[in-house]
């Protein structure tokens, strides 16, 4: 929960020029990981101000006080107490909204059974066909539906149509889909096995359905975390553009119909001179300005990379 910076590290880094110190990078990295940062061994006002400048959350050290006996500590605390108005009792926080479970099934009795079984755990929404299901998805948004329970026997090839809508739209393609069939019979003509995340027979007990949906949600959350980590590993932290790893992954994902392509390579000729005369922080700003120029001057589908650095 908290990252603590050791005294020797603080003292070493604060003696360096700001552009040569990794102190700000360490604190920024901790904040991206949702960690608070406390620095120990702070003995001067200059150290306090430097730590405040780079965003350190908490500071401790002899600058504030040295270790003391309990009575002296209590006296110090009493002297620093500030009278305050009585705090009104807070309203209890509102309960978070229930995750949505979309049941797309032509059998209303089955929909009612699912609603009863998941009452209080999910907000169960029901649709009898592809059109109703897409209306609900558009109304709730991509984050409003935790999973879709889809009948493989929807009339008019409805299951296949809904799956195509889900898997071709980036807003919905990460929503896990569990397909249900009657008594385990095979479904012909619908490539469900390619687009669904799991299968279940309707004759199975509903507690098994609950377990399957929970597993799919956990798998979806894991994929989302993995995607975030992969994106961070593939991007240059200074510019937000792809790094070499990200460029290679983007190249590997290209399809034949996206070729041929043009490659532009830019070199900032005066970067070394800027670094030598104005410092690396000024050079970093120059790189960021050019990266912003690239971003605003190219198309959404173009591949942008910081190949150096």
């Amino acid at each position: 929960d908290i990252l603590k910076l050791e005294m020797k590290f603080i003292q070493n880094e604060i003696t360096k020029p700001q552009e040569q110190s990794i102190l700000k990078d360490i604190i920024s990295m901790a904040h991206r990981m949702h960690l608070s940062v406390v620095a120990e061994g702070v003995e001067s006002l200059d150290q306090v101000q430097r730590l405040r400048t780079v965003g350190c959350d908490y500071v401790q050290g002899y600058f504030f006080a040295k270790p003391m006996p309990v009575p002296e500590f209590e006296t110090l605390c009493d002297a620093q107490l500030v009278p305050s108005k009585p705090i009104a009792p807070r309203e209890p926080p509102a309960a978070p909204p229930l995750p949505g479970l979309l049941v797309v099934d032509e059998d209303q009795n089955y929909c009612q059974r699912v609603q009863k079984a998941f009452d209080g755990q999910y907000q169960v929404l029901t649709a009898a066909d592809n059109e109703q299901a897409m209306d609900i998805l558009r109304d709730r948004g991509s984050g409003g539906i935790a999973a879709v329970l889809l009948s493989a026997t929807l009339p008019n090839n409805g299951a296949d149509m809904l799956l195509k809508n889900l898997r071709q739209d980036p807003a919905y393609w990460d929503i896990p889909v569990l397909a249900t069939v009657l008594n385990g019979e095979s479904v012909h003509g619908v490539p469900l096995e390619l687009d669904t995340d799991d299968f279940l027979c309707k004759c199975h007990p509903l507690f098994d359905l609950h377990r399957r949906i929970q597993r799919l949600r956990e798998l979806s959350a894991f994929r989302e975390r993995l995607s975030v980590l992969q994106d961070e590993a593939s991007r240059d932290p200074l510019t937000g553009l792809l790094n070499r790893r990200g460029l290679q992954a983007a190249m590997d994902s290209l399809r034949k119909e996206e070729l041929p392509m043009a490659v532009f390579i830019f070199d900032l000729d005066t970067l070394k001179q800027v670094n030598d005369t104005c410092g690396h922080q000024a050079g970093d700003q120059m790189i960021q300005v050019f990266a912003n120029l690239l971003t605003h001057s190219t198309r959404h589908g173009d591949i942008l990379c910081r190949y150096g650095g």
Side-chain angles (χ1 to χ4, degrees):
D1 302 309
I2 298 175
L3 176 67
K4 188 168 187 177
L5 303 181
E6 194 262 344
M7 179 172 61
K8 293 289 186 183
F9 173 75
I10 294 295
Q11 293 172 348
N12 288 338
E13 289 301 310
I14 285 183
T15 60
K16 301 177 183 177
Q18 189 158 327
E19 65 271 10
Q20 297 179 11
S21 170
I22 64 171
L23 184 59
K24 184 175 181 179
D25 301 316
I26 294 292
I27 293 174
S28 298
M29 182 174 64
H31 288 167
R32 286 199 301 272
M33 299 169 66
H34 307 293
L35 301 176
S36 296
V37 181
V38 55
E40 70 174 17
V42 177
E43 299 178 347
S44 68
L45 179 60
D46 289 342
Q47 292 174 339
V48 174
Q49 291 174 339
R50 177 74 172 273
L51 288 163
R52 181 179 291 150
T53 300
V54 296
C56 187
D57 301 291
Y58 303 103
V59 176
Q60 68 181 68
Y62 282 10
F63 175 75
F64 301 100
K66 295 184 179 181
M68 64 188 71
V70 172
E72 292 182 25
F73 179 70
E74 291 174 343
T75 301
L76 179 64
C77 288
D78 289 339
Q80 294 186 3
L81 286 177
V82 178
S84 60
K85 297 179 181 179
I87 300 175
R90 290 186 177 183
E91 293 290 331
L98 294 175
L101 174 62
L102 177 57
V103 184
V104 188
D105 201 295
E106 71 278 18
D107 184 350
Q108 292 303 307
N109 290 330
Y110 183 73
C111 291
Q112 292 174 2
R113 287 175 55 208
V114 174
Q115 281 182 315
K116 185 177 180 180
F118 287 88
D119 184 40
Q121 298 171 311
Y122 290 88
Q123 182 182 4
V124 180
L125 309 164
T126 62
D129 53 41
N130 170 55
E131 289 78 12
Q132 290 183 12
M134 290 306 302
D135 287 342
I136 292 174
L137 285 164
R138 282 188 285 265
D139 182 60
R140 296 276 297 200
S142 58
I145 300 296
V148 173
L149 187 61
L150 174 63
S151 169
T153 56
L154 280 181
N156 302 320
N157 209 24
D160 187 30
M161 294 171 59
L162 181 58
L163 280 170
K164 286 182 179 178
N165 288 333
L166 291 176
R167 297 318 185 209
Q168 292 177 3
D169 191 331
Y172 307 122
W173 63 26
D174 287 334
I175 298 178
V177 177
L178 189 149
T180 59
V181 295
L182 286 171
N183 303 321
E185 79 275 11
S186 60
V187 182
H188 298 287
V190 180
L192 294 173
E193 69 279 358
L194 299 180
D195 297 307
T196 58
D197 299 283
D198 202 356
F199 273 90
L200 189 67
C201 299
K202 291 183 181 180
C203 60
H204 281 223
L206 287 177
F207 71 78
D208 193 21
L209 174 62
H210 186 284
R211 182 174 59 83
R212 297 285 187 97
I213 290 177
Q214 183 61 32
R215 186 181 69 83
L216 287 180
R217 291 191 63 195
E218 291 171 355
L219 182 60
S220 178
F222 171 76
R223 288 172 178 166
E224 185 176 349
R225 290 195 300 270
L226 183 62
S227 176
V228 170
L229 291 174
Q230 288 175 334
D231 186 65
E232 287 189 0
S234 300
R235 291 198 176 273
D236 170 51
L238 179 64
T239 62
L241 305 182
L242 296 176
N243 56 23
R244 296 189 187 196
R245 180 201 299 259
L247 176 64
Q248 187 62 55
M251 298 287 288
D252 292 341
S253 68
L254 286 175
R255 301 185 300 270
K256 289 183 179 180
E257 51 268 29
E258 294 176 297
L259 301 175
M261 64 181 179
V263 179
F264 295 85
I265 302 177
F266 300 94
D267 182 43
L268 304 182
D269 292 332
T270 59
L271 181 60
K272 186 178 187 306
Q273 181 181 352
V274 171
N275 284 332
D276 292 343
T277 56
C278 304
H280 286 275
Q281 188 171 5
D284 288 348
Q285 290 175 351
M286 182 177 174
I287 294 172
Q288 288 173 320
V289 168
F290 187 73
N292 291 333
L293 176 66
L294 272 183
T295 302
H296 290 97
S297 305
T298 52
R299 300 166 298 185
H300 176 69
D302 291 337
I303 299 172
L304 306 179
C305 169
R306 182 187 177 197
Y307 195 73

